[in-house]
């Protein structure tokens, strides 16, 4: 039987935290809000509490919004520095009690697909990692994890271009239920036209799907072009939807263009 005892250490410097995390025995893991590690068995014998490392908080500087890894989902949902659409998306993740505890770093590490990651992917967010102050695109970070490589890295935060407009829309069985399907779309809106468009499809437990080909068709689009654009984009929207308890892949395929059109309309009206 494995030893059920886990030691929790609380380093006061990043250097000390990285030194402990670099050890191979006993195995150590970062501890965010603990909502996941407290429920699921872990092979780690040491948890490194990150709460003394000044990793919580949200600021905007140099045209970028930066959120620290220890910022809770509740703080993201309440911050005036966070786009309203991202706040709305975070409120669609899990329940109020868990949002008070769960951290951005934990959400990125667990990479639970859902509204939060869909929005961050649409914003073209970058993830900051230690050691080495590495900055990596979220897209690459998620794909790297999915290919099974296990980076022993500490997430220190995420950032994105704060000049973008973000829209988030979803469909759910009931207003408080988790989304069957969702769309996050980000763009720079100038003179009533979309630029640098990024569109992500997702949903609770659904794979995230960045829509590169449809987004190309949306460049320069104005309100009057929306129907024509969606007619053209409809044929190139692709997502690896899966059937689940909330709905079928077929339903999600049918609803995706409607949600995308709605998200683009929100972008154009928010950026006007
Ligand atoms: C029943 C239940 C349902 C949930 N449903 C949802 C949901 O639908 N959507 C949602 O978003 N969340 C959900 N959560 C919260 C879920 O645990 C999240 O993924 C959460 O964001 C994890 O954050 P945490 O800070 O609590 O992570 P922790 O539990 O502290 O850690 C989780 C993992 O992430 C690693 N980690 C934590 N911080 C870092 C860091 N800074 N750098 C590197 N690795 C790190 C840990 O080592 C561990 O492996 C749910 C939780 C529970 C218990």
């Amino acid at each position: 039987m494995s030893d059920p005892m886990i030691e929790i250490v609380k380093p006061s410097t990043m250097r000390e935290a990285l030194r402990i995390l670099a050890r191979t025995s006993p195995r150590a893991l970062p501890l965010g809000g603990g909502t996941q590690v407290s429920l699921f068995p872990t092979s780690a014998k040491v948890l490194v509490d990150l709460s003394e490392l000044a990793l919580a908080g949200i600021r905007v500087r140099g045209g970028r919004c930066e959120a620290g890894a220890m910022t809770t989902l509740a703080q993201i949902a309440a911050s005036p520095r966070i786009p309203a659409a991202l706040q709305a998306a975070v409120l669609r993740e899990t329940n109020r009690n868990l949002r008070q505890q769960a951290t951005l770093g934990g959400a990125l590490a667990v990479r639970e697909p859902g509204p939060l990651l869909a929005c961050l992917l649409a914003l073209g967010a970058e993830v900051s990692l230690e050691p080495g102050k590495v900055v990596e695109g979220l897209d690459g970070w998620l794909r790297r994890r999915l290919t099974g490589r296990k980076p022993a890295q500490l997430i220190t935060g995420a950032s994105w271009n704060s000049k973008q407009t973000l829209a988030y829309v979803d469909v759910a069985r009931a207003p408080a239920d988790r989304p069957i399907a969702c769309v996050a779309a980000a763009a720079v809106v100038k003179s009533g036209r979309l630029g640098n468009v990024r569109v992500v499809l997702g949903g609770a437990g659904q794979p995230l799907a960045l829509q590169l080909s449809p987004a190309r068709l949306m460049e320069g689009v104005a309100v009057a072009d929306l129907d024509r654009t969606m007619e053209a984009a409809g044929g190139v929207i692709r997502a690896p939807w899966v059937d689940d308890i909330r709905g079928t892949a077929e339903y999600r395929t049918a609803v995706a263009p409607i949600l995308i059109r709605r998200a683009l309309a929100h972008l154009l009206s928010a950026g006007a």
Side-chain angles (χ1 to χ4, degrees), residues 29-37 39 50 69 73 93-94 98 101-103 105-107 109-110 112 153-155 178:
L29 275 182
L31 174 65
T35 60
Q36 226 228 6
V37 289
L39 279 192
L50 309 175
L73 301 191
E93 292 284 13
T94 190
L98 286 172
Q101 199 68 30
T103 63
V110 172
E112 163 90 22
Q153 287 169 307
L154 178 66
I155 300 162
R178 300 206 62 221

Side-chain angles (χ1 to χ4, degrees), residues 91-138:
L91 291 176
R92 309 291 280 129
E93 292 284 13
T94 190
N95 61 48
R96 191 169 186 272
N97 288 349
L98 286 172
R99 288 198 304 267
Q100 310 273 3
Q101 199 68 30
T103 63
L104 174 64
L108 289 166
V110 172
R111 60 179 171 73
E112 163 90 22
L116 169 61
L117 289 193
C119 285
L120 292 178
L121 200 52
L123 286 165
E126 293 178 333
V127 183
S128 304
L129 305 158
E130 290 282 2
K133 299 201 184 314
V134 177
V135 176
E136 182 170 355
L138 176 61

Side-chain angles (χ1 to χ4, degrees), residues 89 92-93 113-115 118 168-184 200-209 239-256 259 262:
R92 309 291 280 129
E93 292 284 13
Y168 170 81
V169 291
D170 66 26
V171 59
R173 287 178 301 186
D177 201 6
R178 300 206 62 221
I180 302 170
C182 71
V183 170
V200 176
L201 291 173
Q206 293 291 314
L208 296 167
W241 299 117
V242 289
D243 292 346
D244 65 12
I245 191 169
R246 293 187 181 84
T248 60
E250 192 185 355
Y251 172 74
R252 292 178 169 98
T253 303
V255 85
L259 294 180
R262 216 174 277 169

Side-chain angles (χ1 to χ4, degrees), residues 8-110:
I8 297 181
V9 295
K10 197 191 268 193
S12 54
T13 64
M14 178 60 75
R15 191 191 170 100
E16 176 66 356
L18 294 176
R19 191 185 64 74
I20 300 167
L21 287 167
R23 290 198 306 229
T24 47
S25 179
R27 184 161 181 250
L29 275 182
L31 174 65
T35 60
Q36 226 228 6
V37 289
S38 59
L39 279 192
F40 301 105
T42 167
S43 57
K45 291 280 166 267
V46 179
L47 291 176
V48 181
D49 183 337
L50 309 175
S51 60
E52 298 278 291
L53 302 183
L55 293 177
I58 299 161
R59 66 180 176 188
V60 177
R61 68 166 186 176
R64 290 191 75 76
C65 184
E66 301 172 347
M70 288 299 282
T71 310
T72 64
L73 301 191
Q75 287 167 335
I76 292 174
S79 170
R81 298 185 186 93
I82 293 290
L86 180 51
Q87 292 178 320
V90 169
L91 291 176
R92 309 291 280 129
E93 292 284 13
T94 190
N95 61 48
R96 191 169 186 272
N97 288 349
L98 286 172
R99 288 198 304 267
Q100 310 273 3
Q101 199 68 30
T103 63
L104 174 64
L108 289 166
V110 172

